[in-house]
Amino acid sequence: MPGYAPEQIANSVLNGNNVAVLIGDTTVAFAQTSGHQIAMGAEQLYGIGTAKPQEVQQLRMSPAFSVDTFSLTSAGLTLLANGQRLEYLLAGNSFDMVVLDGTTNTALFTYVGCKAQNMGQNIPANAPIRSSFSFLALDVLDNEGNSIMNAGDNAIAVASQAASLIAAGSGLGVSG
């Protein structure tokens, strides 16, 4: 008699079912759409005598993160979001945002020091209420925790490195 021989599908492409979005250490419940980008700030530099650019420099990087969610009821907030509405936590707070590969449980991207830029809500008739959030970040880390925004020719790489120079007695001082 023939039998079934099911095989687990091993997809080669990530999809929305394989990824989770975390704000801090909390998974965003009912996240519908998430987008993240790093504006690399490339600018063409020109000199007198030619219309052709003579160099392209990345002058200002600006990482951003956005997430659209279904708004939760009180019961949903208690069950899925530690009883807290994200809209109420945004002002004056920063978060780390993680795009997590749910199949391997590793971070694909970690946006560090995110602060809310915008919050909006769409309240349609006969459909779920959706909340939209956009954030700006200070840095983006890869799956091994390294910054992917190291530009190479900056005088000060990151504030923490400058602070360690001061602590090491490099002669630089900070006064307030």
Side-chain angles (χ1 to χ4, degrees):
M1 174 174 247
Y4 293 104
E7 292 183 31
Q8 182 69 34
I9 297 172
N11 292 328
S12 297
V13 176
L14 279 176
N15 62 60
N17 297 336
N18 303 123
V19 176
V21 176
L22 282 71
I23 297 180
D25 59 358
T26 303
T27 303
V28 178
F30 285 99
Q32 294 298 296
T33 304
S34 181
H36 56 107
Q37 68 179 18
I38 304 169
M40 299 290 185
E43 186 174 319
Q44 296 171 316
L45 303 178
Y46 299 86
I48 296 173
T50 180
K52 288 178 60 177
Q54 296 176 346
E55 187 169 294
V56 176
Q57 290 189 9
Q58 291 177 321
L59 297 174
R60 187 171 83 175
M61 295 188 178
S62 181
F65 194 95
S66 67
V67 64
D68 296 336
T69 68
F70 284 144
S71 292
L72 300 176
T73 63
S74 295
L77 288 170
T78 301
L79 180 65
L80 301 170
N82 299 325
Q84 298 178 329
R85 188 169 296 282
L86 182 58
E87 293 93 327
Y88 300 163
L89 300 174
L90 294 178
N93 293 309
S94 69
F95 304 89
D96 289 346
M97 319 273 289
V98 181
V99 179
L100 184 71
D101 180 340
T103 58
T104 63
N105 206 31
T106 58
L108 298 172
F109 296 94
T110 301
Y111 284 73
V112 178
C114 297
K115 287 198 175 184
Q117 182 180 31
N118 293 304
M119 188 289 286
Q121 201 169 56
N122 185 14
I123 306 173
N126 303 315
I129 295 174
R130 289 183 181 235
S131 296
S132 299
F133 307 93
S134 64
F135 299 86
L136 295 177
L138 296 175
D139 202 356
V140 183
L141 308 180
D142 64 13
N143 60 334
E144 296 180 357
N146 302 311
S147 174
I148 64 174
M149 293 178 45
N150 290 333
D153 59 352
N154 292 319
I156 300 175
V158 292
S160 61
Q161 288 179 349
S164 64
L165 287 173
I166 293 168
S170 65
L172 297 174
V174 177
S175 61

